[in-house]
Amino acid sequence: MDHRLRCLCQLADLSGAAGFLSNTRRHLHQHPELSFEEADTAALVGRHLEDWGWQVERGIGGHGLVGTLAVGAGHRRIALRADMDALPIHEATGKPYASRKAGVMHACGHDGHTTMLLGAAEHLAKTRRFSGTVHLVFQPAEEAGQGSGAQRMIADGLFERFPCDAIYGLHNSPGLPTAAFGFGSGPFMSASDTARITLHGRGGHAARPQQTVDPILIAGSLVMALQSVVSRNIDPLHTAVVTVGALHAGSAPNVIPDTATMALSIRSFDPKVRDRLEERIRALATAQAQGYGGEATVDYERGYPVLVNSEAETAFAREVAAELVGPEGVLANFPPVTGSEDFAYYLQHRPGCFFRLGNGLDSAMLHNPRYDFNDEILTVGAAYWTRLVERYLVD
Ligand code: NI
């Protein structure tokens, strides 16, 4: 049947759920849980899903859970994912529903992502205007880095136990107008790697530096040398980031320490650039240390891969957004960002699309203690997920 003749979810269909969604989001916000500790969040999600008639499987890759609803005789299967974890940040919003846990807050809006998917779950179970199978993937530990929730759920058989033809996910986006959608096919978010460097010198008395090998001097020199990697070793038309995020050495003015340690965050979109960054960082650390009489050990860890959206699934997701909010509310070619997401792992197994939903122009940045998810977009996200399912799962 022509989808334009079918009754498809509109924004207004979710307006009656706005109060429930906002209360749910604020409850999750008050009770944030760090990566690997999302027991209460998962329990709340599972209870709601079962109440609404979803089949729920718990404990997938930690606190992950999947809700499944099959309607009609359709053979297609779609997966929608939301992340559930919070961050080790002390909240400074001053909101009445601010985190009740000191040092833990939902500063990335995963409380909102989880709530939007719950909103769709309730609406889909009620309206059932599709034919096929929906899997709702509630994922833990997105913020964990190596060994994150997506990797664990996949290792726990996510795609074998809950087969799907495509998977979709979203992230709210501060700085993008409220409820505006942003899509991009191809590389959409960067790979994220980490280097931990230890510079070994020879400690001694600060007054007799000639008898020492000063690792702090090596570290200072290396920080500057690392700035040449992006500017001198990478094609200017490619994107790369090398940030020294931590530098530790010494504890007293009259002591030259034995060692200095550094931690780097490295971002890229291209496998060749990724390799070149590692090669140059290793070479510079080793050579700089040797140049001053010391040694370097480099522990280089490849993290989240490049997130690559498939073309057909991105075009489809974009089309559904334009139907829902009008083409003026859709940024059809949202530029890639140098942030990273473990949704990238799902896209290594299945085609799909990860996209942005505007959290408002004046929203604080993600991972900022003053950040808050914008409740105005809860019904938009829920209506969007519902309509995406209705459009995807047709006989
Ligand atoms: Ni996030």
Side-chain angles (χ1 to χ4, degrees):
M1 191 196 282
D2 187 322
H3 72 82
R4 281 163 297 192
L5 303 176
R6 291 167 62 218
C7 190
L8 292 163
C9 187
Q10 310 287 332
L11 287 178
D13 295 345
L14 268 293
S15 55
F20 165 74
L21 293 180
S22 158
N23 287 340
T24 304
R25 206 284 292 180
R26 291 174 183 202
H27 173 84
L28 292 175
H29 194 84
Q30 274 184 319
H31 304 282
E33 293 174 300
L34 292 172
S35 298
F36 307 115
E37 296 174 5
E38 308 89 342
D40 292 347
T41 306
L44 177 145
V45 167
R47 261 196 322 272
H48 279 311
L49 291 177
E50 280 176 345
D51 283 349
W52 299 327
W54 291 74
Q55 191 181 320
V56 177
E57 290 284 336
R58 294 176 169 82
I60 305 163
H63 291 297
L65 66 162
V66 175
T68 300
L69 185 66
V71 171
H75 293 295
R76 300 189 84 193
R77 301 139 321 168
I78 187 172
L80 312 177
R81 173 274 214 170
D83 39 15
M84 301 190 288
D85 55 330
L87 285 157
I89 293 175
H90 192 80
E91 180 156 356
T93 63
K95 294 276 168 66
Y97 53 86
S99 170
R100 290 187 184 171
K101 279 187 197 163
V104 183
M105 85 173 275
H106 271 295
C108 203
H110 298 184
D111 48 349
H113 302 164
T114 295
T115 305
M116 289 189 285
L117 200 54
L118 278 176
E122 183 182 24
H123 200 67
L124 283 164
K126 200 162 61 187
T127 53
R128 295 177 177 249
R129 291 183 300 220
F130 62 91
S131 182
T133 302
V134 192
H135 298 300
L136 304 183
V137 179
F138 289 90
Q139 183 208 299
E142 193 286 320
E143 305 283 3
Q146 218 27 289
S148 71
Q151 293 162 272
R152 283 166 195 254
M153 289 190 84
I154 293 166
D156 218 351
L158 179 72
F159 291 119
E160 292 78 30
R161 293 161 69 186
F162 311 96
C164 66
D165 303 303
I167 184 162
Y168 293 86
L170 70 75
H171 207 292
N172 77 91
S173 191
L176 190 63
T178 303
F181 286 79
F183 296 94
S185 68
F188 192 61
M189 296 184 74
S190 67
S192 170
D193 302 328
T194 304
R196 294 176 197 283
I197 300 173
T198 304
L199 300 166
H200 305 271
R202 188 172 62 248
H205 202 293
R208 291 187 284 281
Q210 76 281 9
Q211 296 171 358
T212 73
V213 173
D214 185 353
I216 294 181
L217 179 63
I218 304 172
S221 175
L222 180 56
V223 169
M224 298 308 291
L226 287 169
Q227 302 311 307
S228 70
V229 176
V230 173
S231 69
R232 300 295 90 172
N233 301 132
I234 302 298
D235 183 332
L237 298 179
H238 281 133
T239 300
V241 179
V242 176
T243 293
V244 179
L247 173 54
H248 297 285
S251 56
N254 60 350
V255 178
I256 290 172
D258 255 338
T259 60
T261 59
M262 295 165 62
L264 281 59
S265 181
I266 302 126
R267 310 294 170 122
S268 59
F269 288 94
D270 178 286
K272 286 202 189 99
V273 170
R274 198 178 191 187
D275 290 343
R276 182 74 171 139
L277 290 168
E278 176 170 356
E279 182 195 332
R280 288 303 301 151
I281 289 166
R282 283 184 182 280
L284 279 175
T286 306
Q288 290 283 318
Q290 284 173 353
Y292 292 95
E295 270 179 40
T297 50
V298 182
D299 178 12
Y300 204 101
E301 196 176 76
R302 299 268 175 135
Y304 295 170
V306 182
L307 186 151
V308 184
N309 284 328
S310 56
E311 204 172 319
E313 283 70 21
T314 303
F316 174 72
R318 190 191 281 139
E319 192 180 303
V320 172
E323 291 167 12
L324 187 73
V325 299
E328 64 284 356
V330 177
L331 282 89
N333 293 301
F334 195 78
V337 294
T338 50
S340 306
E341 240 292 338
D342 78 344
F343 195 83
Y345 290 104
Y346 298 124
L347 294 175
Q348 291 184 327
H349 294 263
R350 291 292 182 281
C353 177
F354 189 75
F355 57 91
R356 303 258 153 203
L357 180 58
N359 202 52
L361 292 172
D362 50 8
S363 165
M365 285 170 70
L366 299 173
H367 295 209
N368 179 292
R370 280 170 296 283
Y371 168 85
D372 191 24
F373 185 86
N374 182 347
D375 282 341
E376 281 178 53
I377 64 177
L378 287 169
T379 55
V380 180
Y384 178 80
W385 284 138
T386 303
R387 192 178 178 108
L388 189 77
V389 168
E390 292 170 347
R391 288 275 276 100
Y392 192 87
L393 297 179
V394 286
D395 272 330

